[in-house]
Amino acid sequence: MKIGITCYPVFGGSGVVATELGLELARRGHEIHFISYALPFRLPYFVENVFYHEVDVPSYPLFEYPPYSLALAVAMFDTAQQRGLDLLHVHYAIPHATSAWIAREMLVEKGEPPVRIVTTLHGTDITLVGQDPSFRPITRTSILRSDGITSVSDYLRTETDRVFGIDRDRIEVIPNFVDLDKYNREKQPCHRGKLAAPGEKLVMHISNFRPVKRLEDVVRAFAGIVREVPARLILIGDGPDRGKAQHVARLEGVRDNVLFLGKHESVAELLSCADLFLLPSETEAFGLVALEAMACGVPVIGTRVGGLPELVTNGENGWLVPVGDHVAMAAAGIRLLKDPELWHAASTSARAAAMAYSTEAIVDRYEAHYRRVLES
Ligand code: GMT
């Protein structure tokens, strides 16, 4: 198949999923065309069967907001026409599903075969941004114009039905996936000695530090843990809430135990050193980073929200607490870190649960979805 993939190419779960999906499909012999405003960050320079088409958004004094969605639609149209694409697979509905729909209309108007559209819903396109009155009607119509709709969790499918009135039967749940070879603590070098003093446990969090991730709760929960267990908090990523987290670390008196590592691509190596992963998000459609941690045998303590309960089984391979309850988060962390047997059981069980989300198994499901859409 010839497939155009559009995603947000910057750091973030939806971009990771789209890029890894494209790379795996290319390995399977499909021709993949990434269409976006920048090279997806996990895309190496040259990969057989992979092409990159940069969207050029011209500026003009009249444009306070240059219309990216329109330039993207034209790039999709051009690529579909020139390379004979069968499918456009867009990740994150806004504005990608709308641009794909416009591109298809343009192809039809030119008498070209209408490219099929698959839209994958990832999270805040449904739970937050998509519900803003400025976007809601166009988000709904654009999703409905797709030939195939997938969501990364059953929770997100239910929300799409509830909030947008899009029948859940039209949506196929295809969860996120992980490279089980790469995300494997047995196969990664250990940097523990460089990150923590001997005897200290490593608590980790990785995100884009947006308010939805509740970074301050990470620091507060860690402060509770470190009062009982010698530990260090490793924060990976960056974003608007870094300053607030630094402030809370000072207030809680744990500034010297918190290490901000900034943005990193080699998260498999870092996760493989961790003893505990904290994910206190306000909402999380799936929680790809939790899956990556679990694949590395790291128990996750997260919040009982969104799609996280579909991944983390409370008391077995991790713990789930109510949003904002950093005290419960700390208590669960202390229990796990103080009990080597309990930790070992949770770690083994986390890795075992992650095995159901292998790249091979999940990409098979995307391929089957494409076939159904093309045959329909
Ligand atoms: O929806 C977002 O805010 C962005 C998106 C991203 O690019 O990171 O995150 C969502 O997609 C990920 C990949 O499917 C999921 O693992 C995340 O849970 C989801 N984020 C939220 O729902 C907040």
Side-chain angles (χ1 to χ4, degrees):
M1 289 176 231
K2 292 186 180 182
I3 304 159
I5 294 184
T6 291
C7 63
Y8 284 103
V10 290
F11 283 79
S14 58
V16 171
V17 170
T19 311
E20 299 291 349
L21 172 63
L23 291 173
E24 175 61 19
L25 289 166
R27 253 176 246 126
R28 295 178 182 203
H30 300 290
E31 192 177 298
I32 302 302
H33 296 265
F34 285 100
I35 308 166
S36 193
Y37 61 83
L39 194 71
F41 78 93
R42 282 206 183 170
L43 193 64
Y45 278 104
F46 177 77
V47 182
E48 204 182 340
N49 292 333
V50 174
F51 302 86
Y52 167 58
H53 307 267
E54 188 154 310
V55 180
D56 196 20
V57 192
S59 62
Y60 184 68
L62 207 57
F63 295 160
E64 192 167 343
Y65 306 104
Y68 173 67
S69 319
L70 299 184
L72 175 61
V74 172
M76 288 169 160
F77 165 75
D78 283 344
T79 312
Q81 198 181 33
Q82 286 161 18
R83 311 305 287 252
L85 297 187
D86 300 301
L87 261 173
L88 284 170
H89 185 177
V90 300
H91 293 260
Y92 205 86
I94 307 167
H96 304 151
T98 312
S99 302
W101 169 30
I102 297 171
R104 188 181 56 197
E105 290 297 312
M106 290 162 74
L107 287 165
V108 170
E109 198 259 334
K110 281 263 171 199
E112 298 279 346
V115 70
R116 297 299 170 115
I117 301 169
V118 173
T119 296
T120 291
L121 310 171
H122 277 276
T124 49
D125 44 355
I126 297 301
T127 58
L128 208 69
V129 194
Q131 292 181 37
D132 189 291
S134 304
F135 292 130
R136 195 192 148 90
I138 189 83
T139 304
R140 180 177 187 275
T141 306
S142 307
I143 295 171
L144 282 168
R145 290 292 176 274
S146 308
D147 301 290
I149 310 167
T150 78
S151 75
V152 295
S153 62
D154 192 52
Y155 154 79
L156 193 59
R157 173 162 75 159
T158 305
E159 279 303 282
T160 309
D161 188 336
R162 188 182 69 82
V163 175
F164 287 98
I166 295 174
D167 193 339
R168 59 183 286 117
D169 293 342
R170 276 209 59 193
I171 306 169
E172 181 178 352
V173 177
I174 305 185
N176 289 171
F177 54 89
V178 66
D179 179 342
L180 291 164
D181 266 346
K182 185 171 161 200
Y183 287 81
N184 181 350
R185 72 196 295 137
E186 307 295 319
K187 294 199 182 162
Q188 291 291 342
C190 184
H191 304 293
R192 182 180 280 271
K194 294 177 201 121
L195 295 171
E200 274 182 343
K201 299 289 184 190
L202 275 179
V203 180
M204 207 168 271
H205 171 83
I206 305 174
S207 75
N208 44 27
F209 295 10
R210 282 178 302 160
V212 72
K213 302 292 174 183
R214 296 185 67 99
L215 195 62
E216 291 150 273
D217 283 356
V218 175
V219 179
R220 288 201 180 95
F222 172 74
I225 291 172
V226 83
R227 277 179 208 120
E228 298 276 332
V229 184
R232 191 157 293 221
L233 175 63
I234 310 293
L235 292 172
I236 299 159
D238 208 353
D241 281 356
R242 174 164 41 89
K244 278 190 204 161
Q246 283 165 335
H247 179 64
V248 174
R250 263 194 306 275
L251 284 181
E252 296 280 346
V254 296
R255 195 179 55 177
D256 294 342
N257 299 65
V258 181
L259 200 58
F260 286 83
L261 285 190
K263 289 179 180 171
H264 265 267
E265 279 189 37
S266 56
V267 293
E269 278 184 37
L270 292 162
L271 279 170
S272 293
C273 310
D275 297 299
L276 197 62
F277 191 87
L278 301 180
L279 193 60
S281 307
E282 182 90 39
T283 170
E284 203 66 71
F286 180 88
L288 176 63
V289 72
L291 173 61
E292 292 174 339
M294 289 165 72
C296 292
V298 187
V300 171
I301 306 183
T303 35
R304 199 173 288 111
V305 292
L308 273 178
E310 294 170 44
L311 178 65
V312 177
T313 308
N314 190 40
E316 205 177 293
N317 52 35
W319 268 259
L320 295 173
V321 304
V323 174
D325 197 346
H326 54 85
V327 175
M329 202 164 241
I334 292 165
R335 226 185 116 204
L336 257 177
L337 295 177
K338 276 191 162 178
D339 183 342
E341 263 180 45
L342 182 66
W343 184 87
H344 193 261
S347 164
T348 309
S349 166
R351 169 81 188 167
M355 303 290 267
Y357 301 88
S358 71
T359 304
E360 295 71 27
I362 306 302
V363 175
D364 279 354
R365 289 169 64 178
Y366 275 115
E367 265 189 308
H369 185 88
Y370 294 162
R371 270 189 224 104
R372 275 197 297 280
V373 161
L374 288 174
E375 282 159 13
S376 64

